[in-house]
Structures are given as structure tokens and as C-alpha cells.
Amino acid sequence: MSSTSELHTTRKRVKRTRTRRVSDRPALKVSSLHVNDIDLMPGTESLICPDCDTWVPITGAQSRHPKLVPHHTERAGTPDARRCEGSLRRVRLDLTLGEWQHRLGEAITANASRRRTPVRRKPTTPPVPATTQVVPTPISADMVRRAFRAHQAACNACQGTATDRDGNVLACRDGLRLASTYLRLLRQEPERRALRAFFEQERERFDRSYEKRAARGRVADWAAQQKATNGSEQLAKRSGTAVEEQNNQARRRRPGTVSDYRGPGLPLKKPAA
């Protein structure tokens, strides 16, 4: 007798949702969901559960009362998993397959036409200094001369090529202003140099006098401190000036010698009662 019957094994049966229970929550309309959260292809009807944001199959999509299959909020195989509140909820398929595909195509076209907005960061500008921190730059004749040369090279009126309707050569007011400023500064340059030299001398003289006054003040402070220190009568405590002077001396005492604080005026033994 053949033993082929002993080698046959049973196949694992596919689990299906076989329950008549229905959630008491209101039916979920497919048209109220986003078009990308729905899949109405025949055989793969599913949607994203609004409660747990996971794809859940729709059981009985071709029947009169489709509903979501029971599902858990955790991953498959998790012990003590908790069932989602959207399980066994009725689903109202108020969209046909053609309408869903049309909406999906429009959404894909709209998304494809979008472009990301490039981030253009503004350049970091340094903070504007306060009015008290602004140091004015003195205008020199050389600076005005360079500005006048740059203006003359770019100005047609200064070059004599700019004319009016009658053919008259136009004069440049900016060029005249720069030229007059340059001549004025050139005449005032010796006076400015003398004034700057005078201020430098006065500043050096003030610094020297300030150093001398500071040195005299330090000498006076040291003298006052020395006078206050030498006044032993003011610093002496109850023990007297001699003990205070010995206390202020920092010198080593040879081993075996008698302490300086032991004298005839200090009791060495406790008097008998």
C-alpha cells in the first residue's frame, strides 16, 4: 500500500473577518477623506483609519454594509495589543471607482506642478553703531581730489561733451562744488596741521601732569598709611604696646628658648585656692 497519504499536510487557512458586530459610531463617508487616503481598486479596498492613521482594509465592499476590519493600534505580534476604536465602523462608499480615479489624477497633476520655494537667507548686516560711538572722519584735500577725479572721469559735463538744445556746453554743479572744496581745503591745510600738532602737544602735556599728580597722591597715601601704622598707641590692644610689637614681628624662635610673651608680669601657675 502506498504511503503518500501520510505525507500530506494541511495548509493554513486564511483568516477572514466573520462577525456581524458593527460599531455604534456614525458611518464614515469616503468622500470626506483625502483622495490619497483611499484605495478603491477592486480587491484592495482600504483606507487610512482616522483614529490610528493606519491603512485598514474594507470588508464587504461589494455588500450592502461595508465596514472596517478589526485592527489594533500596535504592530502585528505585539502582546496585549489594544483594539482601535475605529474597528468595525461602517463605511459609506459614496464615490465610484471612476470618480475616485478622476480626483486622484487631478491631485497628482496639482502636486506635480508645484515647486519648492527656495530659501533665500538675508545677509547678516552688522548693527548700526550708536551716535556716541560714531567717530567722524576728517575730510582732507587728498580725499576730495580723488573724489573729483572719479567724478570728472564719469561726468560728460565736466569733460565738455554735454550740451543743451541750443548747443551750449553745460556746466556741472557737482564738479564745481568738488573743485571749490578741494581748493579751500588746500588753502586751509597748513592751519589744520598746526592745529593738530597743537592738540597733540596739549594732550601730551596733560598726560604728563596727570601722571605727576597721581604719583604725588600715591606718595601722600603711603605717608598717611605709614603714619597710621607707626602710631602704636592707637593700635595697641589691652596687652600694651610691647606685646603688640612682639605680636607683629615675624621671626623664628629657636627650640628650647623661652617665649617672648613670658615675662614677670604674666602668671605661670594657677594660684592656690
Side-chain angles (χ1 to χ4, degrees):
M1 182 178 178
S2 177
S3 61
T4 55
S5 60
E6 298 178 358
L7 300 178
H8 289 304
T9 57
T10 59
R11 290 182 300 175
K12 187 177 181 180
R13 183 178 178 181
V14 179
K15 293 182 179 180
R16 300 181 182 273
T17 304
R18 299 180 182 274
T19 178
R20 295 183 179 181
R21 291 183 300 173
V22 179
S23 176
D24 56 352
R25 300 177 64 182
L28 181 62
K29 294 182 179 180
V30 175
S31 59
S32 63
L33 302 177
H34 196 272
V35 67
N36 293 329
D37 298 344
I38 314 167
D39 185 6
L40 297 182
M41 293 299 294
T44 60
E45 295 88 348
S46 59
L47 55 83
I48 294 181
C49 179
D51 297 321
C52 58
D53 295 334
T54 55
W55 282 96
V56 181
I58 301 175
T59 181
Q62 306 300 332
S63 63
R64 298 176 55 183
H65 301 290
K67 57 186 176 182
L68 298 178
V69 301
H71 57 280
H72 299 287
T73 58
E74 304 295 337
R75 295 178 64 88
T78 304
D80 300 333
R82 188 176 182 180
R83 177 170 292 186
C84 177
E85 295 181 358
S87 301
L88 300 176
R89 185 178 181 181
R90 289 192 180 94
V91 179
R92 182 178 299 177
L93 298 176
D94 52 352
L95 283 179
T96 61
L97 180 60
E99 294 175 350
W100 171 72
Q101 289 179 345
H102 179 68
R103 290 188 181 185
L104 185 61
E106 291 181 350
I108 294 175
T109 305
N111 292 335
S113 62
R114 293 177 182 175
R115 296 181 180 179
R116 62 178 183 178
T117 304
V119 179
R120 295 184 176 88
R121 301 188 181 276
K122 296 182 179 180
T124 56
T125 57
V128 180
T131 307
T132 56
Q133 298 176 349
V134 176
V135 179
T137 303
I139 302 176
S140 61
D142 189 29
M143 295 173 56
V144 179
R145 181 182 61 81
R146 290 196 298 267
F148 174 69
R149 293 300 182 187
H151 171 77
Q152 191 177 20
C155 182
N156 295 329
C158 293
Q159 297 175 5
T161 58
T163 58
D164 56 4
R165 295 180 180 179
D166 300 334
N168 300 324
V169 179
L170 297 177
C172 181
R173 296 183 179 180
D174 295 336
L176 293 175
R177 180 175 55 82
L178 291 174
S180 60
T181 304
Y182 171 69
L183 295 177
R184 178 173 56 83
L185 292 177
L186 194 63
R187 291 192 303 268
Q188 296 177 356
E189 189 65 24
E191 298 179 2
R192 293 175 179 270
R193 291 180 181 177
L195 189 61
R196 286 195 294 267
F198 172 74
F199 278 113
E200 289 293 335
Q201 294 177 0
E202 289 296 322
R203 180 171 296 178
E204 293 179 359
R205 185 179 62 82
F206 175 77
D207 293 341
R208 290 194 300 268
S209 62
Y210 179 79
E211 289 294 335
K212 290 181 180 179
R213 288 196 302 268
R216 289 196 297 268
R218 287 193 296 269
V219 171
D221 293 342
W222 279 107
Q225 184 68 20
Q226 189 71 18
K227 182 178 180 181
T229 305
N230 293 337
S232 303
E233 293 79 3
Q234 298 178 1
L235 299 178
K237 299 181 181 179
R238 296 181 181 181
S239 302
T241 57
V243 178
E244 184 67 23
E245 292 177 358
Q246 293 293 337
N247 189 23
N248 294 334
Q249 293 179 2
R251 60 181 181 178
R252 294 184 177 180
R253 183 173 63 85
R254 297 180 180 179
T257 58
V258 181
S259 174
D260 297 333
Y261 297 103
R262 295 178 61 184
L266 297 177
L268 302 180
K269 295 182 180 181
K270 183 177 181 181

